[in-house]
Amino acid sequence: MKLTILGSGSPEAYARRASTGYLLEIGDDKILFDCGGGVFDNLVRSGRLPKDITHLFFTHLHTDHMMDYARLVHAAWDEGAPPLKVWGPSPIARMTEGYFGRDGVLSPDLYARTELAPSQQVWVARGGTLPRAWPAPEVTEIKPGFSYQGHGWELKSCEVPHAQPAFDCMAFSVEAGGKKFVYSGDAGICDALSELTADADLLIHWCYRLSTDDIHPAIAEFSPTPEHIAKMAQSAGVKELLITHFRIHMDSEDGHSSANDELKEHFAGPAKIVEDLDVFEI
């Protein structure tokens, strides 16, 4: 397995970090976890094309985890890719229809690209055939506890506390070739996540605050610090730990020093703060 960081930031507009997105490659499969703003551009910068993505899994539907979804689907469709396979919590099916349905917000664009003669001729010149179908992602709505068997890999999920009851929020694990990868999504520390994480070769966990941040208790309950994450990972037997989802104010020299000190103090294995376009072999 190979992991590429396509977005390590938050909802904040920030040149250094795109919002959330992680690409996991296993054999011929390119599995995208979440697709926040800026992830599309980093996918292209990493040397891949939208049509290369074979699976897309959403942990939850905050916009910083799905804002580039429509762009990815549209661009892959325009490259002639087969319909993208998508899994995510409700209402991802309704949102997809809202983008690409006959009355969807993109319907004027799609009508123009499929029905107007100049656009049809551009499509044919690029090797396409007529009539040209509209984008039609293959969407499956899932609940925590969902599992999936891929080609030589298996995905599992659990519920994590974050934005309930607005929508379900999940973490995912993927096992392949005797190795285990876990992505927390946006998660408070909980028993289900600790169990899913057990003996992981690589855990990537969101970190939305530092121990020194003065925040409301309602945020603190669901937003673990580097110390909390490191302790959980150590207890779960994780071999390598990455933290992500850094906000702008956390990206200072002091912020990095504080986070790294806590990781080193409470976690025995390799640990670091990720950056966009980092690559990790699992």
Side-chain angles (χ1 to χ4, degrees), residues 45-235:
R45 290 189 184 104
S46 77
R48 286 83 169 184
L49 292 172
K51 66 181 181 181
D52 294 334
I53 300 301
T54 58
H55 304 72
L56 171 57
F57 293 93
F58 287 108
T59 59
H60 66 291
L61 297 177
H62 268 145
T63 53
D64 59 312
H65 289 249
M66 57 78 63
M67 187 60 81
D68 272 7
Y69 171 47
R71 189 178 181 193
L72 177 71
V73 169
H74 191 287
W77 167 75
D78 202 46
E79 293 170 339
L84 180 63
K85 295 179 172 61
V86 180
W87 292 262
S90 175
I92 187 61
R94 177 167 58 83
M95 294 170 77
T96 302
E97 180 68 16
Y99 283 129
F100 300 108
R102 287 292 163 177
D103 295 317
V105 294
L106 297 180
S107 59
D109 170 90
L110 297 174
Y111 170 79
R113 293 182 188 278
T114 59
E115 300 297 330
L116 300 188
S119 293
Q120 289 177 338
Q121 292 310 306
V122 169
W123 175 244
V124 170
R126 288 163 52 196
T129 59
L130 299 176
R132 187 181 183 187
W134 284 24
E138 296 178 4
V139 176
T140 302
E141 292 195 340
I142 60 176
K143 290 280 190 180
F146 164 82
S147 63
Y148 178 81
Q149 187 66 54
H151 298 293
W153 53 275
E154 182 180 16
L155 176 143
K156 297 179 181 178
S157 67
C158 73
E159 183 172 21
V160 294
H162 179 53
Q164 292 87 341
F167 32 63
D168 288 330
C169 303
M170 288 173 276
F172 295 119
S173 71
V174 177
E175 296 186 54
K179 300 293 184 178
K180 182 177 180 180
F181 163 72
V182 177
Y183 165 42
S184 72
D186 290 2
I189 302 296
C190 64
D191 289 344
L193 179 57
S194 297
E195 292 173 9
L196 188 74
T197 301
D199 301 319
D201 293 277
L202 181 66
L203 166 65
I204 185 163
H205 199 293
W206 92 309
C207 184
Y208 193 66
R209 69 179 178 108
L210 300 172
S211 296
T212 54
D213 288 349
D214 182 17
I215 60 173
H216 192 280
I219 299 174
E221 182 180 0
F222 301 114
S223 300
T225 65
E227 176 182 348
H228 298 144
I229 297 163
K231 287 180 175 178
M232 184 277 286
Q234 183 67 28
S235 177

Side-chain angles (χ1 to χ4, degrees), residues 220-270:
E221 182 180 0
F222 301 114
S223 300
T225 65
E227 176 182 348
H228 298 144
I229 297 163
K231 287 180 175 178
M232 184 277 286
Q234 183 67 28
S235 177
V238 171
K239 297 177 179 64
E240 184 173 1
L241 172 62
L242 309 174
I243 59 173
T244 187
H245 212 295
F246 259 43
R247 300 173 65 195
I248 295 173
H249 80 276
M250 299 163 65
D251 245 349
S252 65
E253 183 177 345
D254 287 344
H256 277 241
S257 178
S258 171
N260 282 321
D261 286 347
E262 291 181 16
L263 294 178
K264 291 176 183 177
E265 180 179 356
H266 300 288
F267 183 73

